[in-house]
Amino acid sequence: MSVLSGKKIVLGISGGIAAYKSASLVRLFIKAGAHVQVIMTPASKDFVTPLTLSTLSKNPVHSTFYNEEDENAQWNNHVELGLWADIMIIAPATANTLSKMVNGNCDNLLIATYLSAKCPVYFAPAMDLDMYKHPSTSASFQSLKKYGNTMIPAETGELASGLSGEGRMAEPENIIAFLEADLESKLPLKGKKIMITAGPTYEAIDPVRFIGNYSTGKMGFDIAKSAANHGAFVTLICGPTHLSIVDSNIDVIRVTSAVEMYDACHLYFNEMDVVICAAAVADYKPKSVAHQKIKKSDLEFTILLEKTKDILLSLGEIKKNQFLIGFALETENEIENAKLKIQKKNLDLIVLNSLQDEGAGFGKATNKITFIDKQFTIEPMPLKSKELVAIDIINKVISFTNK
């Protein structure tokens, strides 16, 4: 999965012949899973049509602050566009546009959005050889880099003038590769290994029956996605669930029972930097499992249960430098029980769920958690989607790894 997947990208197009490449660039962004909004300078429409780019981006193309032909037209808010973007890229960036970016010459929607952007900004120069080599252009490059922008170097080859040399805008495929490599190098969990457990366990009674719980595994899967999006390589050990995930940075290990999850966790634990135990592991299992289906005969039926191995406790006993996070689902004395769990299981952080909180628990799209660390610092969080809760948890991991 591309690091661009899910990213919100504002693509600025200025008026140069290389603007024809922008259609392919938009298509590649969409193929990578990004969301794209296009801003064109008025001059760029001489080289590529807004209709083409709106069709490819699946969004209206912006060019002016408002539609001068419609007195009731809505203002194109450059501030909102700048705040919306995770990434802004100006490609092609002509000498004229580069100069305006340097000096804040805000006479079009593209420059206004650039000046409002709070996200990383990339620019891909495109101009003829002599323009590219001119001292004023070099000065623009240096100034924009000092402002924190990132330059995607121009390529060497045949130019529109007939000359051959440096100044060609990088090919769309190379722009995508540059962005992916640059973004990946800056990911806060790049190179970190994280193990996450998710879902329920099923403890067999006979070949067709089991003891289980209502966990869907969604919380663990969302944490895995967030960790991978931040650059980590994830080992996701999950119990029986209908959920699936396809990501080259996530290795999914499927298990059924508590003992299988225990064995898998201990197999991978030593090589991990962070371990997040979000699975709802059965506390008890049948002491003996029938080899044949148990027939319905007596009015009453008794199953003798025995404790399963405590995975979190066992990992806390052998941990070295790992950052170990546990989950606690409580119905009473939540804070005190969670604190006892931190001490008993040698945890660095616990994520507390209370079934008393509306919107929390199994089978819901939302969750309401409280963070408690090993110093017993308590941080309650508001009700959020599980995707946003996962980001909060991974931000805790990032804070730990940056210490």
Side-chain angles (χ1 to χ4, degrees), residues 69-221:
E69 298 177 0
D70 182 359
E71 61 181 15
N72 297 314
Q74 184 176 355
W75 175 46
N76 289 321
N77 191 330
H78 59 279
V79 175
E80 287 186 1
L81 286 167
L83 294 176
W84 175 83
D86 296 317
I87 301 166
M88 184 174 188
I89 175 170
I90 300 173
T94 61
N96 183 44
T97 291
L98 292 171
S99 178
K100 290 179 179 181
M101 292 167 65
V102 170
N103 295 295
N105 185 2
C106 186
D107 65 350
N108 61 46
L109 182 63
L110 174 55
I111 300 301
T113 304
Y114 162 71
L115 294 173
S116 301
K118 304 298 183 186
C119 61
V121 177
Y122 296 81
F123 63 97
M127 62 200 74
D128 214 82
L129 175 62
D130 293 334
M131 297 173 68
Y132 192 83
K133 294 296 185 183
H134 196 277
S136 65
T137 304
S138 298
S140 292
F141 293 160
Q142 294 307 314
S143 295
L144 288 172
K145 290 176 184 178
K146 286 180 183 177
Y147 295 165
N149 303 299
T150 302
M151 177 174 164
I152 302 174
E155 297 177 357
T156 300
E158 186 177 350
L159 303 168
S161 66
L163 296 175
S164 183
E166 199 171 11
R168 286 171 58 99
M169 186 180 93
E171 294 301 316
E173 294 82 359
N174 296 337
I175 290 176
I176 296 293
F178 182 97
L179 287 172
E180 289 178 333
D182 190 65
L183 291 171
E184 285 177 358
S185 71
K186 296 173 182 175
L187 291 173
L189 295 178
K190 182 71 174 177
K192 298 297 182 183
K193 294 182 178 180
I194 299 181
M195 182 173 77
I196 300 167
T197 66
T201 64
Y202 288 173
E203 309 305 324
I205 297 172
D206 63 19
V208 298
R209 301 181 181 92
F210 61 85
I211 296 173
N213 57 60
Y214 294 116
S215 174
T216 62
K218 178 171 171 53
M219 189 71 258
F221 272 70

Side-chain angles (χ1 to χ4, degrees), residues 307-376:
K307 275 190 174 184
T308 58
K309 293 181 178 180
D310 191 321
I311 297 174
L312 193 55
L313 176 66
S314 68
L315 297 180
E317 289 172 343
I318 63 172
K319 82 167 186 175
K320 297 175 183 175
N321 298 317
Q322 294 91 343
F323 186 61
L324 184 58
I325 301 176
F327 273 63
L329 179 63
E330 302 289 346
T331 58
E332 58 183 355
N333 299 324
E334 293 95 340
I335 298 295
E336 292 308 313
N337 287 335
K339 287 180 178 179
L340 290 173
K341 194 170 186 178
I342 291 172
Q343 292 177 313
K344 180 180 178 181
K345 302 191 179 184
N346 192 23
L347 306 181
D348 296 288
L349 182 72
I350 201 162
V351 181
L352 172 63
N353 292 127
S354 172
L355 284 182
Q356 305 299 328
D357 292 326
E358 187 176 350
F362 296 145
K364 296 181 175 66
T366 57
N367 207 351
K368 189 176 187 300
I369 65 168
T370 298
F371 288 117
I372 307 176
D373 64 21
K374 61 184 178 182
Q375 285 79 37
F376 295 155

Side-chain angles (χ1 to χ4, degrees), residues 225-246:
K225 290 177 187 176
S226 181
N229 287 342
H230 285 82
F233 181 80
V234 178
T235 299
L236 176 61
I237 302 173
C238 67
T241 173
H242 69 282
L243 298 176
S244 62
I245 192 167
V246 179

